Amino acid sequence: RPGRPAAPGRGGRRAQSALAQLTRIVEAQLAAIRGAGTWKGERILTSKQGPHVRVQGSAGGILNFCANNYLGLSSHPEVIQAGLKALEQFGAGLSSVRFICGTQTIHKALEEKIARFHQRDDAILYPSCFDANAGLFEALLSPEDAVLSDELNHASIIDGIRLCRASKYRYRHLDMGDLEAKLQEAQKHRLRLVATDGAFSMDGDIAPLREICQLAQKYQAVVFVDECHATGFLGPSGRGTDELLGVMDQVTIINSTLGKALGGAAGGYTTGPRELIALLRQRARPYLFSNSLPPAVVGCASKALDLLMESDAIAQSMAAKTRQFRSKMEAAGFTISGKEHPICPVMLGDARLASVMAEDMLERGIFVIGFSYPVVPKGRARIRVQISAVHSEEDIDRCVKAFVEVGKRHGAIP
């Protein structure tokens, strides 16, 4: 009859059946995540990023201790102004990949500035460092080659390595004996690439780059370092862990981000030998098939680098506040992983405890996040605290006081 929907045909019924099956599978997985206490909710900010933020559903201002805003440049007035200027002069975006019509003078200038900052030949920009890691290994390594990776490397390094066809070796975290054994085993390959984070984002520990470079020289390997949690603030002038440990001339390839200390917007990059960068422009799929970085992002990152190269005062302020937090938390009875890094993981072990304590901290006006499996290994749950140069000493003390109150309430400390 007119107006009556037709009964679904055989194809429609099959589609509905497949959708129902998919829904059941997904619902079971979601229930398992909730049941394990590892559900990751998203707290919604209603303000700019900074040490003091406003969170939807929470009254008043909140102290933020969970951003990668190490130098406090995400909302720096000069960085914002540089972004506005680039937006006005170069537009909202390019609507193109780089090799078609997506390269502007500001992209080339930023790449040159990054290479100069790291004291390397050249650099190439990506939408994120995840993309930089996704593009590097597949473009560089063949089935004749080998890549040797720290077992706790960032997920983007792991995923990037999965995309390449090289033989894959995983060595125990920071274990130089195991790395040497793997290098000996990999001598049969044409090229050996050792891949490590400079600073590990979940534990706040730093790769032993001196020893890695010594082994690389002994076994004729190339060293790659991801510096996302080091660029801008580790080392005497903020060049990263290779500068901190005095091996800038021995690390061949660096990947890093513009989305943390350098303005916090977006973007990543690879910097290294000129020939390698030229190869990546020809072969790196995330570069070839992703739109260019928006001009405002480029402008912000460029100004952040300018501020960093003008003075190390911001980085020194962050280091002093990191020492303040770590010493006071350890004195209160907490175990803090890592050493002298603004990533300060408060180790708790139990996933539910980390989640509940983080919620109680928010009720006290402190924004921190609990991390648990699969982000970190089972039994290694923690609340990761991140210190910024724009936190005041009073902010640090207030955070420590809240941790002590919450820790005692839940039995995390005596």
Side-chain angles (χ1 to χ4, degrees):
R1 288 176 293 181
R4 183 174 182 177
R10 183 177 298 176
R13 287 194 294 272
R14 285 177 177 171
Q16 290 174 357
S17 176
L19 176 59
Q21 182 182 24
L22 171 65
T23 301
R24 288 194 296 271
I25 291 170
V26 172
E27 285 178 342
Q29 293 182 24
L30 294 175
I33 294 170
R34 290 190 179 94
T38 57
W39 183 267
K40 297 162 190 65
E42 295 182 357
R43 296 169 179 169
I44 301 170
L45 302 187
T46 60
S47 65
K48 293 187 293 187
Q49 184 61 275
H52 300 264
V53 296
R54 292 191 174 274
V55 178
Q56 192 176 84
S58 297
I62 302 294
L63 266 176
N64 187 4
F65 278 91
C66 58
N68 298 313
N69 187 25
Y70 296 114
L71 301 179
L73 299 180
S74 295
S75 299
H76 192 286
E78 291 186 51
V79 172
I80 293 173
Q81 192 59 41
L84 291 171
K85 183 179 178 181
L87 181 68
E88 179 68 27
Q89 185 175 354
F90 291 99
L94 276 299
S95 303
S96 172
V97 299
R98 286 283 298 271
F99 78 92
I100 297 178
C101 59
T103 298
Q104 295 172 316
T105 53
I106 53 173
H107 294 95
K108 298 304 293 183
L110 179 56
E111 287 171 338
E112 292 168 5
K113 188 177 292 186
I114 288 168
R116 190 165 64 251
F117 175 73
H118 284 285
Q119 299 176 18
R120 295 323 199 264
D121 293 345
D122 200 359
I124 178 174
L125 290 169
Y126 290 90
S128 69
C129 192
F130 203 112
D131 286 316
N133 285 336
L136 175 68
F137 303 100
E138 183 183 25
L140 178 61
L141 302 177
S142 77
E144 299 178 72
D145 304 319
V147 57
L148 303 94
S149 176
D150 188 294
E151 65 180 349
L152 293 188
N153 275 340
H154 190 267
S156 61
I157 300 175
I158 294 169
D159 285 0
I161 289 173
R162 284 173 176 165
L163 291 171
C164 79
R165 299 172 65 195
S167 295
K168 302 167 181 67
Y169 298 81
R170 186 173 65 173
Y171 63 91
R172 291 189 293 272
H173 183 50
L174 308 183
D175 188 330
M176 295 299 96
D178 194 37
L179 173 58
E180 182 166 20
K182 298 295 193 301
L183 280 166
Q184 291 171 346
E185 187 179 347
Q187 286 301 292
K188 59 191 174 184
H189 298 286
R190 181 187 67 169
L191 178 69
R192 289 157 294 284
L193 178 68
V194 179
T196 182
D197 275 310
F200 290 82
S201 63
M202 285 297 117
D203 291 282
D205 46 8
I206 295 171
L209 289 186
R210 291 193 191 100
E211 293 81 1
I212 289 174
C213 290
Q214 288 169 0
L215 288 172
Q217 185 175 18
K218 181 178 179 179
Y219 293 100
Q220 294 185 298
V222 173
V223 178
F224 158 84
V225 182
D226 181 310
E227 292 281 54
C228 285
H229 290 276
T231 298
F233 56 91
L234 286 189
S237 56
R239 265 65 177 177
T241 54
D242 61 340
E243 183 190 40
L244 176 71
L245 298 173
V247 292
M248 289 186 74
D249 60 338
Q250 299 175 57
V251 173
T252 303
I253 308 167
I254 287 176
N255 278 8
S256 195
T257 182
L258 306 173
K260 293 182 171 60
L262 301 183
Y269 57 86
T270 297
T271 185
R274 194 174 312 279
E275 298 80 5
L276 170 66
I277 302 305
L279 179 68
L280 293 175
R281 293 194 195 279
Q282 301 302 313
R283 287 189 177 174
R285 292 166 69 85
Y287 179 82
L288 292 169
F289 297 101
S290 297
N291 266 17
S292 305
L293 272 184
V297 171
V298 175
C300 288
S302 184
K303 175 53 70 173
L305 272 172
D306 290 342
L307 292 171
L308 179 60
M309 289 190 284
E310 286 170 6
S311 170
D312 65 353
I314 301 176
Q316 293 304 317
S317 171
M318 184 212 63
K321 289 160 187 172
T322 296
R323 290 191 293 270
Q324 177 188 352
F325 178 81
R326 283 180 172 272
S327 63
K328 291 192 173 184
M329 286 290 285
E330 288 169 351
F334 288 101
T335 298
I336 310 298
S337 180
K339 184 180 179 182
E340 297 181 2
H341 194 283
I343 293 174
C344 303
V346 181
M347 304 304 294
L348 299 169
D350 182 74
R352 290 181 185 275
L353 176 62
S355 178
V356 170
M357 281 185 60
E359 290 297 329
D360 280 3
M361 290 289 287
L362 185 61
E363 291 180 4
R364 288 166 170 77
I366 309 293
F367 191 176
V368 290
I369 295 292
F371 286 87
S372 56
Y373 181 82
V375 179
V376 297
K378 288 183 178 179
R380 297 278 294 169
R382 78 284 307 268
I383 291 176
R384 187 177 71 175
V385 176
Q386 289 169 278
I387 306 301
S388 172
V390 288
H391 285 127
S392 68
E393 292 183 5
E394 292 75 19
D395 293 339
I396 302 290
D397 287 343
R398 182 179 159 194
C399 182
V400 172
K401 180 182 177 183
F403 261 112
V404 171
E405 292 174 356
V406 170
K408 288 182 176 179
R409 177 182 176 186
H410 293 282
I413 55 173

